Amino acid sequence: MSTEPVATEVGRDFIRDIIQADLDQAKYREIVTRFPPEPNGYLHIGHAKSIALNFGIAQEFPGRCHLRFDDTNPVKEEQEFIDSIQADVHWLGFDWGKNLFFASDYFDRLYEWAEQLVRDGLAYVDDQTQEEIRTSRGTLTEPGKNSPFRDRTVEENLDLFRRMKAGEFPNGARVLRAKIDMSAGNINLRDPVLYRILHAHHPRTGDKWCIYPSYDYAHGQSDAIEGITHSICTLEFEDHRPLYDWFIEKLPVPSKPHQYEFARLNLTYTLLSKRVLTQLVREGHVAGWDDPRMPTMAAMRRRGVPPAALREFVKRIGVAKANSVVDVGMLEFCIREELNRTAQRRMAVLRPLKVVIENYPEGQVEELDAINHPDDPSAGTRKIAFGRELYIERDDFMENPPKKFFRLSPGNEVRLRYAYFVKCTGVIKNSNDEVVELRCTYDPATRGGNAPDGRKVKATMHWLPAATSKPAEIRIYNQLFSNPSPDAANFAADLNPQSLEILSDARIEASVAESNATEPMQFERQGYFVRDKDSTPGKPVFSRTIGLRDTFAKEVAKG
Ligand code: ATP
Ligand code: MG
């Protein structure tokens, strides 16, 4: 696998080329695609790629895209997942209209077609155990062995299959298999399983069924029932395509869909396997499916990632036929670009250090103008109160600064954003010799942040008034994994112990604390932040969507 992002001309890819060619040849009146999630987890950013592709095609060409739940395994599927998937597709900006379907809606028809395969001598009931079926399937280099039950009569097969359906046998006792070719080069054609016995309650069909169809058997037939023209899936299904076509050819299906495969999205520092994501949640490595460190859409929404940034990301990575790994920095770039354009600016002090302006009159407060968006005058301004006691960022002060440190230090003058030039005149320490407060003076002639005598300062710092700013908890998220290619088989070893940093003494502008706005905003010099659902009336919680610069990639490069 290469680590290069796949460069394609935006909006053009081999699947769209195929569709255009099909339309040019008048093969279809309308293009019909589908997004077919299994409701066994929350959607992640890989799914966003598939959603944008399938729904995007339906928008660009005359067509429609169905949302179809592939709900053939009741043991793993839950209503919570069905609901979250619908919410996520809508959030991403796509709509299936009235085209919401469930594979379980087709269970009757799928069953009838299975009986037909039995009657046509193309399917049989196998009594072998799962293990026997697995070992007799052979390998890539050895052909499989025929099951001793392969030559049952049609009557016997039909009787056994009906009794499977009637619930006469326990789980795993028998399966229905297609009778294709146990020596086929493609292992998927070595008598694949069509139905297994599973005494389980289904969220939609209840206890009606105790046999459930396999993915391979259900998927193509569901496509055909819905009149899907282009059934687009990820590359791991390429070897399943001959089987997909075999069913479509043997069964009296109402339409003949075709399967096309594209490369799935892989991201550095990220695992997108649902098995891993489920384990992360179940084992408590994260706080839930929407923990902001998760690669799920629910997590990204909670974290303040704009859906437009995800759409832009999947557009930029394009659709290719070869697997690759995309640098997570590309996703972060798209998020930053969108937020830089749309997010209003505010000030917050993450790690406060108190400052007393000694020559500022006690009890006096001044309302200064602060700009809400530097590139968008229509966003307006707001008032921010300057007074004798302020907070600045602890990191913006050094008592014994190195040469290139231009921020506040004893004797050095800096600009407080929108306010005045201030100079540090003294330091107050606690018994541990830690700086707990600064003494400063301000120059009243520099109101607004410019000196009439033209003198310059080398740093502009954010700050907040001590009296009217409000306390807040700020959560800084880093990559969930510290390894650029985490090991899915042993992911716990690759977890980043520093993936969450909680700053519980932060200060924010009063208006930010009081507003319930859900849009992310930029805290100047710190990054983009969004109010989290864990906020309480007395203590708002803000999550960092993303930092201002790509410090992470630089740190990695430095080693
Ligand atoms: P699993 O099948 O292991 O439960 P899955 O991620 O394939 O996991 P599905 O619900 O079957 O989950 O996926 C729905 C659709 O999303 C499928 O068409 C699948 O190919 C596509 N998809 C899943 N993961 C990715 C990915 N990383 N990149 C692009 N498309 C993906
Ligand atoms: Mg799948």
Side-chain angles (χ1 to χ4, degrees), residues 129-277:
T129 64
Q130 217 182 336
E131 180 60 18
E132 285 165 342
I133 289 176
R134 203 180 55 74
T135 51
S136 63
R137 188 160 279 161
T139 65
L140 286 174
T141 48
E142 285 167 56
K145 282 195 212 62
N146 283 357
S147 162
F149 305 95
R150 200 174 195 262
D151 295 319
R152 281 177 157 153
T153 62
V154 166
E155 289 67 35
E156 192 183 359
N157 280 320
L158 213 45
D159 173 60
L160 285 171
F161 186 42
R162 286 176 181 165
R163 288 166 60 197
M164 277 169 65
K165 174 177 179 256
E168 286 190 27
F169 311 119
N171 289 354
R174 296 189 159 84
V175 293
L176 184 74
R177 297 178 75 176
K179 194 172 187 175
I180 306 181
D181 180 2
M182 286 305 289
S183 59
N186 183 337
I187 294 183
N188 292 298
L189 295 177
R190 294 183 192 168
D191 294 7
V193 171
L194 308 188
Y195 272 91
R196 59 207 185 295
I197 300 172
L198 196 59
H199 292 269
H201 186 85
H202 188 284
R204 292 179 61 84
T205 57
D207 296 312
K208 178 173 177 191
W209 297 91
C210 61
I211 56 172
Y212 289 94
S214 62
Y215 170 90
D216 279 324
Y217 179 63
H219 200 86
Q221 278 58 263
S222 301
D223 286 342
I225 290 169
E226 291 177 17
I228 303 298
T229 55
H230 297 74
S231 178
I232 303 166
C233 63
T234 36
L235 274 183
E236 65 271 25
F237 292 104
E238 194 167 12
D239 290 343
H240 296 238
R241 186 169 5 109
L243 180 57
Y244 184 104
D245 292 341
W246 188 88
F247 290 125
I248 297 293
E249 186 198 313
K250 302 295 181 200
L251 290 168
V253 289
S255 78
K256 294 204 183 302
H258 287 276
Q259 178 183 299
Y260 301 90
E261 308 87 18
F262 71 102
R264 65 193 297 120
L265 171 67
N266 300 297
L267 271 182
T268 57
Y269 295 97
T270 311
L271 286 172
L272 295 179
S273 139
K274 260 197 249 170
R275 180 187 59 76
V276 171
L277 300 186

Side-chain angles (χ1 to χ4, degrees), residues 392-404:
I392 62 161
E393 206 67 60
R394 189 164 281 278
D395 293 350
D396 281 339
F397 173 79
M398 281 185 94
E399 195 179 9
N400 300 300
K403 252 214 169 94
K404 289 255 163 88

Side-chain angles (χ1 to χ4, degrees), residues 110-122:
L110 292 170
Y111 175 81
E112 283 163 28
W113 283 338
E115 277 206 357
Q116 163 140 12
L117 288 175
V118 172
R119 279 194 297 273
D120 292 344
L122 294 172

